[in-house]
Amino acid sequence: MRLTVYLAGEIHSPWREEIKEKAKSLQLPIDFVGPMEDHDRSDAIGEEILGEQPNPIFRDAAASSFNNLRTQVLMQKADLVIALFGEKYKQWNTAMDASAAVSLGKPLILIRPEELHHPLKELSRKSNATVETVNQAIKALAYIFD
Amino acid sequence: MRLTVYLAGEIHSPWREEIKEKAKSLQLPIDFVGPMEDHDRSDAIGEEILGEQPNPIFRDAAASSFNNLRTQVLMQKADLVIALFGEKYKQWNTAMDASAAVSLGKPLILIRPEELHHPLKELSRKSNATVETVNQAIKALAYIFD
Amino acid sequence: MRLTVYLAGEIHSPWREEIKEKAKSLQLPIDFVGPMEDHDRSDAIGEEILGEQPNPIFRDAAASSFNNLRTQVLMQKADLVIALFGEKYKQWNTAMDASAAVSLGKPLILIRPEELHHPLKELSRKSNATVETVNQAIKALAYIFD
Amino acid sequence: MRLTVYLAGEIHSPWREEIKEKAKSLQLPIDFVGPMEDHDRSDAIGEEILGEQPNPIFRDAAASSFNNLRTQVLMQKADLVIALFGEKYKQWNTAMDASAAVSLGKPLILIRPEELHHPLKELSRKSNATVETVNQAIKALAYIFD
Amino acid sequence: MRLTVYLAGEIHSPWREEIKEKAKSLQLPIDFVGPMEDHDRSDAIGEEILGEQPNPIFRDAAASSFNNLRTQVLMQKADLVIALFGEKYKQWNTAMDASAAVSLGKPLILIRPEELHHPLKELSRKSNATVETVNQAIKALAYIFD
Amino acid sequence: MRLTVYLAGEIHSPWREEIKEKAKSLQLPIDFVGPMEDHDRSDAIGEEILGEQPNPIFRDAAASSFNNLRTQVLMQKADLVIALFGEKYKQWNTAMDASAAVSLGKPLILIRPEELHHPLKELSRKSNATVETVNQAIKALAYIFD
Amino acid sequence: MRLTVYLAGEIHSPWREEIKEKAKSLQLPIDFVGPMEDHDRSDAIGEEILGEQPNPIFRDAAASSFNNLRTQVLMQKADLVIALFGEKYKQWNTAMDASAAVSLGKPLILIRPEELHHPLKELSRKSNATVETVNQAIKALAYIFD
Amino acid sequence: MRLTVYLAGEIHSPWREEIKEKAKSLQLPIDFVGPMEDHDRSDAIGEEILGEQPNPIFRDAAASSFNNLRTQVLMQKADLVIALFGEKYKQWNTAMDASAAVSLGKPLILIRPEELHHPLKELSRKSNATVETVNQAIKALAYIFD
């Protein structure tokens, strides 16, 4: 049995590499998918595909079309979603993806630093489990296969 | 035909009153529902019901149980969801509720200031319509009945 | 038992008035809903709510947001959808609404002139019933209550 | 991870071959499916299977049964739908398939020439992304795997 | 709390009148709906609405369109389905409606004479309850309100 | 806005009366529904409707048909489910009803004495909120309307 | 792309062998599944597993449990259902399985002799296609892969 | 065709080993999944991942998060669920998992000793089949492949 896991959340830190490496070292049969991690390309993908847009709002609208397309395809393939919140940025996409996972019946693990417990309390309560570190999330994944 | 509209978003400004008054003056047949607007009570509802909790994290966990219960009951009653993002706070609950609405097939109107267009571009693309003011949202509601 | 019926299709002929009058004269307990019938307003609703847009494509994108919002709210209220195809226009919205109705499990009556039987054959086969006149559609509605 | 993509839309131009070749040259792990591309056979399939029908309308009804059967089986296998609108024909099947895709939760890419932006504005708004060329659609597919 | 109950099954005996009278005498708050009970009209409804058809098979196809339309609208309104099998006729519509009810999550009561227990054993096992008389079905309805 | 609340759980103590009285004194607009509270009748309902059964197992099978019918009809009407676990009995029906509520997307409040926290920990985690007294459950209901 | 096809219908004639052989000779990539074809074993499976039952009705109830279990597992695996009606027997299981297929969104091909067109008219209208011979059904399957 | 079967129920007896061995000796193409069978680890998994908790209730809450995560992932992979009730323990998790299986449309086999027929009568009636021994459950699995 292999699982597909969608890794939602910030793309400014290398947490996805860490999770993939640990899963590999534990030989967990997991395929990881997730959003475009090159932030500049993620913002530019609308113009990359459609050409120049009239202003920044329409540039963003164009980019979001292709980012949402990617997320929808990959999340529908996923058996489980991990959403990581960091200390910077608004991270509304992370909240959006995590909530979509729950609504679609996908199990959800939330990773967030303890300092964020208050603003994330309702989303945390909707998730299957809330942890503070990537390492704890890996332990939760490994537990499924034990 | 009456509609029920869930008003997700910040509870620190009186935007819900504004929307209700305008709907009333236009005689729109709409019942509005939404989260607990008394912020202190929203944070304290866990201890109000269950008694003192061992620490702030568990206090928050208890509160979130009852806030999520309220939201789930009322959003399931709603024909349409309006989610407002302001310029302060993390507002992850707003993103969570907006995304849940879309996943549940509930039509969604997003209200956000133009300054927030970039971090909200993916959520905006998933909504039915994005506007900048409460007044524009009311016009969208009125259009349904015209 | 009252039914709500969504009337999809062209807004350039007065067929909705005809259907409403006949239902009234037969005292059928039906509430009819449907798209904005003022074509100019339907095309302008984006700018009416959001203000001037940079070009015709974005004007259309803005308008479609509010037209789709209206359709989604009203179709979810409907127990049955009637879609009328006429001899002019591309009428892709009509095909889109009719197909959405079927996918959502809403019973569908198609009204189309016999000349259009060939290009509509697949949509016709997916509908519950295909008729050629408004009068036949009314008879089908009346049959539900007999 | 392989994806299955359903190619809805006109069968009078060789756009499917173009898309398949480009996907192949990019080594995208995609299986393409779609409607019967031999138009005469698509129209004749009812009589091919069931024998001669009493008149053209019933000939069409018979054909549509088997065309819809094929579409339903293949679209349920698909992870993503691409719908192309050209400048000729009524193309109601394309609109029907595109709308069914959205209602079934399948991500949708619309390909249409800019001239058609107005009559397709509502369907465009419901799709994940709207592009103007096959090449842009391929870029969108490739982006999912990057 | 009122319930809507769909009465599927043969239209050649007056069992629906019996069930309605007993429900009335027990003052059960139930609205009963069901198929067209005038058998000749049920068979003729296609031609009544669409005009004469080329042969008996197409006459039947036309009639079935409007009978299925009626059933789909009314069964979607129902909170519970009762399906009665008698000793005559093929009654495939009854089996079809009963099975659709189960698949749609509608509770199902089967009424059948003991002699039919063998050919109905699988359908009986899928129903919520199987009884032998209209009177027993009424008792089951009454039990919901006790 | 009125809510319908299904009260699952033991029928040997008068907790339903307590909850109804408190809701009444608080003027909460709630209709309460639930299982047959006369335990002997609940066990005998199969034979009451179908007549004597060959042995106790079939007597139980017959009774369960009508008890499940009642539960399915009423739970589908409910906006929210409250499940109470007491200190006696196996209460597998309560666990079954609570789990069905969660799977159907119905918000769930669990009432259980603290002594039962360990064996109910997984069900408690799936519920929206877990409380220890009827009075706390009433406060949670009232909070929805505040 | 391989398809799984469930073959519902009578188990007294060798039509399943015919369909499998033709599919094989056409090299169609199809896996066929279906009910227990040994009629005596199908009727006896309850007692085979559970031991002797007190009377024929309970013998049937026991058998139907395992037959329904088998059907539910295999039909959920199926991409398409073919249901064959012959000239003998009541065949309510066939109607039940065909209707379940439609309700579950599984494409359905009905095979029935022309003599049965009248009593099967509503079920025929709900199916994707109705044919008269196994050979025609095979052509319909082959058309999906052409 | 391979099946995945989730084995819900007590983890204090070696019934899962028995079922796996028998399936193996019969060469049934089945992959078995299920809960953590090391009871102490199941209770400690919350603290194993998250660290020490403030009191036994929060220790249990933490453990249940990861146990539910595991169950949700694995049950969604399952084609069929077997739930075994023994004579000891409260076994509310077993009832919860069995009920979730039914609500999710997963076929369910219940294994329980005859002594438990009374308290399990409603859950038994909702299952596809109820048997008394592991051996009977294996026969039911084998019947699917015969």
Side-chain angles (χ1 to χ4, degrees):
Chain A
M1 191 188 69
R2 291 190 71 78
L3 295 181
T4 300
V5 174
Y6 187 91
L7 300 174
E10 68 176 20
I11 57 180
H12 310 83
S13 74
W15 69 281
R16 283 181 186 77
E17 290 321 302
E18 186 186 348
I19 221 167
K20 287 175 192 171
E21 277 167 32
K22 283 180 176 161
K24 197 175 175 186
S25 73
L26 290 169
Q27 296 184 296
L28 299 179
I30 297 179
D31 300 310
F32 292 98
V33 294
M36 166 51 57
E37 294 176 53
D38 175 341
H39 191 203
D40 288 344
R41 195 173 175 217
S42 164
D43 278 358
I45 185 65
E47 295 195 329
E48 179 183 322
I49 293 179
L50 296 176
E52 201 178 347
Q53 300 297 305
N55 66 38
I57 290 195
F58 292 110
R59 180 179 190 263
D60 279 353
S64 65
S65 296
F66 299 103
N67 288 324
N68 282 353
L69 175 72
R70 178 183 170 122
T71 301
Q72 189 176 342
V73 171
L74 297 180
M75 198 186 281
Q76 291 186 355
K77 289 280 188 192
D79 300 299
L80 189 150
V81 174
I82 296 179
L84 178 143
F85 282 84
E87 312 228 5
K88 290 194 290 186
Y89 311 104
K90 294 189 177 294
Q91 306 179 87
W92 288 324
N93 276 6
T94 314
M96 173 182 84
D97 291 347
S99 178
V102 171
S103 298
L104 293 170
K106 308 276 183 189
L108 172 69
I109 298 173
L110 210 65
I111 309 178
R112 57 113 185 83
E114 190 176 347
E115 298 75 48
L116 292 181
H117 78 84
H118 187 70
L120 280 171
K121 65 182 186 297
E122 273 80 24
L123 191 51
S124 170
R125 188 62 177 78
K126 285 182 91 171
S127 71
N128 285 64
T130 300
V131 301
E132 293 182 18
T133 67
V134 163
N135 211 34
Q136 290 171 331
I138 279 286
K139 283 183 187 169
L141 291 180
Y143 183 63
I144 297 172
F145 293 98
D146 282 349
Chain B
M1 191 188 70
R2 292 191 71 79
L3 295 180
T4 300
V5 174
Y6 186 91
L7 300 173
E10 69 177 19
I11 57 180
H12 311 82
S13 74
W15 69 280
R16 283 181 186 79
E17 290 320 302
E18 187 185 346
I19 222 168
K20 287 175 192 171
E21 276 168 32
K22 282 179 178 163
K24 197 176 173 185
S25 73
L26 290 168
Q27 296 185 296
L28 300 178
I30 297 179
D31 301 309
F32 293 99
V33 292
M36 165 52 56
E37 294 176 54
D38 175 341
H39 191 204
D40 289 344
R41 196 174 172 214
S42 165
D43 279 359
I45 186 64
E47 295 196 329
E48 179 184 323
I49 294 179
L50 295 177
E52 202 179 345
Q53 299 297 306
N55 66 39
I57 290 196
F58 292 111
R59 181 180 189 261
D60 279 353
S64 65
S65 296
F66 300 103
N67 288 324
N68 282 354
L69 174 73
R70 179 182 170 124
T71 301
Q72 190 176 341
V73 170
L74 296 180
M75 199 185 280
Q76 289 186 355
K77 288 281 187 189
D79 299 299
L80 190 150
V81 173
I82 296 178
L84 178 143
F85 282 83
E87 312 229 4
K88 290 194 289 186
Y89 310 103
K90 294 189 178 292
Q91 307 178 86
W92 288 324
N93 277 6
T94 313
M96 172 182 83
D97 290 347
S99 178
V102 171
S103 298
L104 293 170
K106 308 275 181 188
L108 173 69
I109 299 172
L110 212 62
I111 310 178
R112 58 113 186 83
E114 191 175 345
E115 297 77 47
L116 293 181
H117 78 86
H118 187 71
L120 280 172
K121 66 182 186 296
E122 274 80 22
L123 191 52
S124 171
R125 187 62 177 78
K126 285 182 90 170
S127 71
N128 286 64
T130 299
V131 301
E132 293 182 16
T133 66
V134 163
N135 210 34
Q136 290 172 330
I138 279 285
K139 283 183 186 169
L141 291 180
Y143 183 63
I144 297 171
F145 293 98
D146 282 350
Chain C
M1 191 187 69
R2 292 190 71 79
L3 295 180
T4 299
V5 174
Y6 187 90
L7 300 173
E10 70 176 19
I11 58 179
H12 310 83
S13 73
W15 69 281
R16 283 182 186 78
E17 290 320 302
E18 188 185 347
I19 222 167
K20 287 175 192 170
E21 277 167 32
K22 283 181 177 161
K24 197 176 174 186
S25 73
L26 289 168
Q27 296 185 297
L28 299 178
I30 297 179
D31 301 310
F32 292 99
V33 293
M36 165 51 57
E37 293 176 54
D38 175 341
H39 191 202
D40 288 345
R41 196 174 173 216
S42 164
D43 277 359
I45 185 65
E47 295 195 329
E48 179 183 323
I49 293 178
L50 295 177
E52 203 179 345
Q53 299 297 306
N55 66 38
I57 290 195
F58 292 110
R59 182 181 189 260
D60 279 354
S64 66
S65 296
F66 299 103
N67 288 325
N68 282 353
L69 175 73
R70 179 183 170 123
T71 301
Q72 188 176 342
V73 170
L74 296 179
M75 198 185 281
Q76 289 186 354
K77 288 282 189 191
D79 299 300
L80 190 150
V81 173
I82 296 178
L84 178 143
F85 282 83
E87 312 229 6
K88 290 194 289 188
Y89 311 103
K90 293 189 178 295
Q91 307 178 87
W92 288 323
N93 277 5
T94 313
M96 171 181 84
D97 290 347
S99 179
V102 171
S103 298
L104 293 170
K106 308 274 183 189
L108 173 69
I109 298 172
L110 212 63
I111 309 178
R112 58 111 184 84
E114 191 175 345
E115 298 75 49
L116 293 181
H117 77 86
H118 187 71
L120 280 172
K121 66 182 188 295
E122 273 80 22
L123 191 52
S124 170
R125 186 62 176 79
K126 283 182 90 170
S127 71
N128 286 64
T130 300
V131 301
E132 294 182 16
T133 66
V134 163
N135 211 34
Q136 290 172 330
I138 279 285
K139 283 184 187 169
L141 291 180
Y143 183 63
I144 297 171
F145 293 99
D146 282 350
Chain D
M1 191 188 68
R2 291 191 71 78
L3 295 181
T4 300
V5 174
Y6 186 91
L7 300 173
E10 69 176 20
I11 58 181
H12 310 82
S13 74
W15 69 280
R16 283 182 186 77
E17 290 321 303
E18 187 185 348
I19 222 167
K20 287 175 193 170
E21 277 168 32
K22 284 180 176 161
K24 198 175 172 185
S25 73
L26 289 168
Q27 296 184 296
L28 299 179
I30 296 179
D31 301 309
F32 292 99
V33 293
M36 166 51 58
E37 294 177 53
D38 176 340
H39 190 201
D40 288 344
R41 193 171 177 220
S42 163
D43 279 358
I45 185 66
E47 294 195 329
E48 180 183 323
I49 293 177
L50 295 177
E52 201 179 347
Q53 298 297 307
N55 66 38
I57 291 196
F58 293 110
R59 181 179 189 262
D60 280 354
S64 65
S65 296
F66 300 103
N67 288 323
N68 283 353
L69 174 73
R70 179 183 169 121
T71 302
Q72 190 176 341
V73 170
L74 297 179
M75 198 185 281
Q76 290 186 356
K77 288 281 187 191
D79 299 301
L80 189 149
V81 174
I82 296 179
L84 178 142
F85 282 84
E87 311 228 5
K88 290 193 290 187
Y89 311 103
K90 292 187 179 295
Q91 306 180 88
W92 288 324
N93 276 6
T94 314
M96 172 182 84
D97 290 346
S99 179
V102 171
S103 298
L104 293 171
K106 308 275 182 189
L108 172 70
I109 298 173
L110 211 63
I111 310 178
R112 58 114 185 82
E114 190 176 346
E115 298 75 48
L116 293 181
H117 77 84
H118 187 71
L120 280 172
K121 65 182 187 296
E122 273 81 23
L123 191 51
S124 170
R125 188 61 177 78
K126 284 181 92 169
S127 71
N128 285 63
T130 299
V131 302
E132 293 183 16
T133 67
V134 163
N135 211 33
Q136 291 172 329
I138 279 286
K139 283 183 186 169
L141 290 180
Y143 183 63
I144 297 172
F145 294 98
D146 282 350
Chain E
M1 191 189 69
R2 291 191 71 79
L3 295 180
T4 299
V5 174
Y6 187 89
L7 299 173
E10 69 177 18
I11 58 179
H12 310 81
S13 73
W15 69 281
R16 283 181 186 79
E17 290 321 302
E18 187 186 347
I19 222 167
K20 287 175 192 171
E21 275 166 34
K22 283 180 177 161
K24 198 175 173 186
S25 73
L26 289 169
Q27 297 185 296
L28 300 179
I30 297 177
D31 300 311
F32 292 98
V33 293
M36 166 53 56
E37 293 176 53
D38 176 341
H39 191 203
D40 288 344
R41 196 174 174 216
S42 164
D43 278 359
I45 185 64
E47 295 195 330
E48 179 183 321
I49 293 179
L50 295 176
E52 203 179 344
Q53 299 297 306
N55 66 36
I57 290 196
F58 292 110
R59 181 180 189 261
D60 279 354
S64 66
S65 297
F66 299 103
N67 288 324
N68 282 353
L69 174 72
R70 178 182 170 124
T71 301
Q72 189 176 343
V73 170
L74 297 180
M75 199 185 280
Q76 290 186 355
K77 288 283 188 189
D79 299 299
L80 189 150
V81 174
I82 295 178
L84 178 144
F85 283 83
E87 311 228 5
K88 290 195 289 187
Y89 311 103
K90 293 188 179 293
Q91 306 180 88
W92 287 325
N93 277 8
T94 314
M96 171 182 85
D97 290 347
S99 178
V102 170
S103 298
L104 293 170
K106 307 275 182 187
L108 172 69
I109 298 173
L110 211 64
I111 310 178
R112 57 112 185 85
E114 191 175 345
E115 296 75 49
L116 293 180
H117 77 86
H118 187 71
L120 280 171
K121 67 182 186 295
E122 272 81 22
L123 191 52
S124 170
R125 187 62 177 77
K126 284 182 91 170
S127 71
N128 286 63
T130 300
V131 301
E132 295 183 17
T133 67
V134 163
N135 210 35
Q136 290 172 331
I138 279 286
K139 282 183 187 171
L141 292 179
Y143 182 63
I144 297 170
F145 293 99
D146 282 349
Chain F
M1 192 188 69
R2 292 191 70 79
L3 295 180
T4 299
V5 174
Y6 187 89
L7 300 174
E10 68 177 20
I11 58 179
H12 310 82
S13 73
W15 69 281
R16 283 181 185 80
E17 290 320 302
E18 188 185 347
I19 222 167
K20 287 176 193 171
E21 276 167 33
K22 282 179 178 163
K24 197 175 173 187
S25 73
L26 289 169
Q27 296 185 297
L28 300 179
I30 297 178
D31 300 310
F32 292 98
V33 293
M36 165 54 56
E37 293 176 53
D38 175 340
H39 190 203
D40 288 343
R41 196 173 173 216
S42 164
D43 279 358
I45 185 65
E47 295 196 329
E48 179 183 323
I49 293 179
L50 295 177
E52 203 179 344
Q53 300 296 308
N55 65 38
I57 290 195
F58 293 109
R59 181 179 189 261
D60 279 354
S64 66
S65 296
F66 299 103
N67 287 324
N68 282 353
L69 175 73
R70 178 182 170 123
T71 301
Q72 190 176 342
V73 171
L74 297 180
M75 199 185 281
Q76 290 186 356
K77 288 283 189 190
D79 299 299
L80 190 151
V81 173
I82 296 178
L84 177 143
F85 282 83
E87 311 228 6
K88 290 194 290 185
Y89 311 103
K90 292 188 178 295
Q91 307 180 87
W92 287 324
N93 277 7
T94 313
M96 172 182 84
D97 290 347
S99 179
V102 171
S103 297
L104 293 169
K106 308 275 182 187
L108 172 69
I109 298 173
L110 210 64
I111 310 178
R112 57 112 186 85
E114 192 175 344
E115 297 76 47
L116 294 181
H117 78 86
H118 186 71
L120 281 171
K121 65 182 186 297
E122 273 81 21
L123 190 51
S124 170
R125 189 60 178 78
K126 286 182 89 170
S127 72
N128 285 65
T130 299
V131 301
E132 294 182 16
T133 67
V134 164
N135 210 35
Q136 290 172 330
I138 279 286
K139 283 183 187 170
L141 291 180
Y143 183 63
I144 297 171
F145 293 99
D146 282 349
Chain G
M1 191 189 67
R2 292 191 70 79
L3 295 181
T4 300
V5 174
Y6 187 91
L7 300 174
E10 67 176 21
I11 58 180
H12 310 81
S13 73
W15 70 280
R16 282 182 186 79
E17 290 321 301
E18 188 186 347
I19 222 167
K20 288 176 192 171
E21 277 166 33
K22 284 181 176 162
K24 197 175 174 186
S25 73
L26 290 168
Q27 295 185 297
L28 300 179
I30 296 179
D31 300 310
F32 292 99
V33 292
M36 166 51 57
E37 293 177 53
D38 176 341
H39 190 201
D40 288 344
R41 195 174 176 217
S42 163
D43 278 359
I45 186 64
E47 294 195 331
E48 180 182 323
I49 294 178
L50 295 177
E52 201 179 346
Q53 299 297 307
N55 66 39
I57 291 196
F58 293 109
R59 182 180 188 261
D60 279 354
S64 64
S65 296
F66 299 103
N67 288 323
N68 282 354
L69 174 73
R70 178 182 169 124
T71 302
Q72 189 176 343
V73 170
L74 297 179
M75 198 185 281
Q76 290 186 354
K77 289 280 187 191
D79 299 301
L80 189 150
V81 174
I82 296 179
L84 178 142
F85 283 83
E87 311 229 7
K88 288 193 291 186
Y89 311 102
K90 292 188 178 296
Q91 305 180 89
W92 287 325
N93 276 7
T94 314
M96 173 181 84
D97 290 347
S99 177
V102 171
S103 298
L104 293 170
K106 309 274 181 188
L108 173 69
I109 298 173
L110 211 63
I111 309 178
R112 59 114 184 84
E114 191 176 345
E115 297 76 47
L116 292 181
H117 78 85
H118 187 70
L120 280 172
K121 65 182 187 296
E122 273 81 22
L123 191 52
S124 170
R125 187 62 177 78
K126 285 182 90 169
S127 71
N128 285 64
T130 300
V131 301
E132 293 182 17
T133 67
V134 163
N135 211 33
Q136 291 172 329
I138 279 287
K139 284 184 185 169
L141 292 180
Y143 183 63
I144 297 171
F145 293 98
D146 281 349
Chain H
M1 191 188 69
R2 290 191 70 79
L3 295 181
T4 300
V5 174
Y6 187 91
L7 300 173
E10 68 176 20
I11 58 180
H12 311 81
S13 73
W15 69 280
R16 282 182 186 77
E17 289 322 301
E18 188 186 347
I19 222 167
K20 286 176 194 171
E21 277 168 31
K22 283 180 177 163
K24 198 176 174 186
S25 72
L26 290 168
Q27 296 185 296
L28 299 179
I30 297 178
D31 300 311
F32 292 98
V33 293
M36 167 50 58
E37 294 177 53
D38 175 341
H39 190 202
D40 287 345
R41 195 173 174 217
S42 164
D43 278 358
I45 185 65
E47 295 195 330
E48 179 183 324
I49 294 178
L50 295 176
E52 201 179 347
Q53 299 298 305
N55 65 38
I57 291 196
F58 292 109
R59 182 179 188 263
D60 279 353
S64 65
S65 296
F66 299 103
N67 288 323
N68 283 353
L69 175 73
R70 177 181 171 124
T71 301
Q72 189 176 343
V73 171
L74 296 180
M75 199 185 282
Q76 290 186 356
K77 288 282 188 190
D79 300 300
L80 189 150
V81 174
I82 296 178
L84 177 143
F85 282 83
E87 311 228 6
K88 289 193 291 184
Y89 312 103
K90 293 188 178 295
Q91 305 180 88
W92 288 325
N93 276 8
T94 314
M96 172 182 85
D97 290 346
S99 178
V102 171
S103 298
L104 293 170
K106 308 275 182 189
L108 173 69
I109 298 173
L110 211 63
I111 309 178
R112 57 115 185 84
E114 191 176 344
E115 297 75 49
L116 292 181
H117 78 86
H118 187 70
L120 280 171
K121 65 182 186 297
E122 273 79 23
L123 191 51
S124 170
R125 187 62 177 78
K126 285 182 90 170
S127 71
N128 285 63
T130 300
V131 300
E132 294 183 16
T133 66
V134 163
N135 211 34
Q136 290 171 331
I138 279 287
K139 284 184 186 170
L141 291 180
Y143 182 63
I144 297 171
F145 294 98
D146 282 349

